[in-house]
């Protein structure tokens, strides 16, 4: 059973970005499956790394598109991205040091930040991007 089911409430109406968000959702589901299957740290570590790196790449790509669209909340949005990336990075570091384990609490934290960020902050830039012809 996936942690997150993709649905229309997660679409921001911009194809490029939806495709990136789907990769994030798939990666989180992959991590969740690995945790439920009790996969070893050697297998879950790389998925966590992938999640962190893809999140950072996605944030950069999204920020570039918001800049192109002259989106007026770009500065605030960047701050949110920094905070989220730091939280994930902090977790990855603790996991690698053996100070943290994968558990449902962490899965729910990751699911909530991703879905809430998409639904509140990301969806807010859609009109500005569409007005600029970004798809
Ligand atoms: Fe964002
Ligand atoms: Fe996003």
């Amino acid at each position: 059973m996936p942690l997150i089911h993709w649905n229309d409430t997660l679409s921001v109406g911009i194809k490029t970005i939806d495709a990136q968000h789907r990769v994030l959702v798939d990666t989180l589901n992959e991590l969740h499956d690995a945790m439920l299957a009790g996969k070893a740290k050697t297998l879950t570590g790389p998925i966590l790394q992938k999640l962190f790196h893809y999140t950072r790449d996605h944030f950069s790509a999204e920020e570039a598109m918001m800049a192109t669209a002259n989106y007026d909340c770009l500065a605030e949005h960047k701050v949110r991205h920094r905070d989220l990336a730091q939280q994930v990075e902090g977790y990855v570091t603790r996991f690698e040091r053996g100070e943290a384990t994968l558990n449902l609490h962490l899965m729910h934290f990751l699911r909530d930040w991703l879905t809430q960020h998409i639904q509140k902050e990301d969806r807010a830039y859609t009109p500005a991007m569409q007005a600029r012809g970004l798809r």
Side-chain angles (χ1 to χ4, degrees), residues 45-131:
I47 308 174
L48 252 184
Q49 282 288 350
K50 176 174 143 191
L51 179 70
F52 173 61
H53 289 117
Y54 196 83
T55 298
R56 240 183 12 193
D57 291 350
H58 164 63
F59 285 171
S60 304
E62 201 175 67
E63 286 166 14
M65 287 177 77
M66 285 188 277
T68 303
N70 278 323
Y71 179 51
D72 54 8
C73 296
L74 174 59
E76 291 100 301
H77 203 121
K78 277 184 165 178
V79 171
R80 289 292 297 140
H81 282 173
R82 287 304 92 78
D83 287 349
L84 291 169
Q86 272 173 15
Q87 280 181 286
V88 178
E89 187 178 24
Y91 180 77
V92 173
T93 306
R94 290 197 299 282
F95 178 80
E96 286 182 344
R97 285 187 191 144
E99 295 165 6
T101 52
L102 284 183
N103 55 46
L104 268 184
H105 175 77
L106 172 82
M107 288 299 133
H108 292 161
F109 160 75
L110 292 171
R111 176 195 63 194
D112 293 346
W113 83 240
L114 180 63
T115 55
Q116 288 169 11
H117 180 70
I118 291 174
Q119 289 169 337
K120 292 180 191 156
E121 286 131 328
D122 285 353
R123 280 187 141 202
Y125 57 53
T126 303
M129 285 199 192
Q130 287 179 340

